[in-house]
Amino acid sequence: MKICWISNFAQKDVDVWHNNVECYSVSDAMIGDLHGYFYLDVFSCDGKYSHQCMYPLCPSYVKEDEMQVLSACVNLGNLSPPREGLPSLLLFYLFHEFGPVMHCVLTNSKHSLHSWTWLAVPWLGGDERDFFEVTTMMLENIFWQTEISKQSSNIDDRSCL
């Protein structure tokens, strides 16, 4: 999927914690630079956190040897998986959390203190609380553009979009 100047590519050879989890790389669509990774863990299962959210896994920062560590995050959800030919209608929730996902993954900072994060992570830094939902609201509104919703969906009967 390509949105604006970024491309997301599914990563097939990545170890994940559940067979429903998918990993994607995020790259600059023009020059191909890799920015980071995000995981989609959107379907419910026993014992899983029951709220939709984005959680950072690794901040962006430069190591002592000058190598850039790329950001990684996960979009956690508790949605019903597709069944009996019916799709899981997760597009709205995906776009709702996609703002913070992109904010996290596109962060390129020298110090992890300046990398995107929020109060629940085990490292210092992050955004002010007032700014926390801005990217969520911005990309959530993209969902309501019919062409974007149709392009991003794999539903055969798109009359519901």
Side-chain angles (χ1 to χ4, degrees):
M1 177 170 60
K2 181 179 171 185
I3 298 177
C4 300
W5 69 95
I6 60 164
S7 295
N8 301 313
F9 299 101
Q11 302 296 297
K12 300 295 183 193
D13 298 327
V14 175
D15 290 331
V16 293
W17 51 93
H18 192 275
N19 60 356
N20 284 334
V21 175
E22 298 174 356
C23 178
Y24 293 86
S25 64
V26 177
S27 299
D28 184 304
M30 305 290 269
I31 57 177
D33 287 351
L34 179 63
H35 288 286
Y37 300 91
F38 71 92
Y39 296 82
L40 289 179
D41 185 1
V42 295
F43 300 120
S44 62
C45 62
D46 289 339
K48 185 177 176 187
Y49 185 62
S50 63
H51 183 69
Q52 182 80 20
C53 70
M54 193 290 288
Y55 194 87
L57 299 173
C58 179
S60 169
Y61 65 95
V62 177
K63 298 190 311 186
E64 288 181 14
D65 64 2
E66 299 300 316
M67 293 295 295
Q68 180 74 40
V69 174
L70 301 177
S71 296
C73 60
V74 59
N75 182 343
L76 287 173
N78 208 0
L79 303 171
S80 298
R83 56 183 176 271
E84 299 177 26
L86 298 174
S88 177
L89 300 176
L90 61 86
L91 259 183
F92 176 78
Y93 298 104
L94 178 63
F95 274 95
H96 177 82
E97 296 299 340
F98 203 64
V101 165
M102 289 296 97
H103 192 179
C104 175
V105 174
L106 295 176
T107 295
N108 184 7
S109 58
K110 184 172 182 176
H111 305 288
S112 62
L113 179 66
H114 301 134
S115 187
W116 185 94
T117 188
W118 56 288
L119 300 175
V121 297
W123 60 84
L124 295 174
D127 293 324
E128 296 293 329
R129 299 288 267 166
D130 290 347
F131 188 73
F132 187 74
E133 290 292 326
V134 169
T135 54
T136 295
M137 291 181 280
M138 287 172 20
L139 280 178
E140 180 180 294
N141 284 314
I142 289 176
F143 171 78
W144 299 112
Q145 296 178 23
T146 305
E147 285 307 309
I148 298 282
S149 295
K150 287 181 178 180
Q151 177 186 356
S152 303
S153 170
N154 64 355
I155 300 172
D156 291 332
D157 178 11
R158 296 174 185 220
S159 62
C160 64
L161 300 175

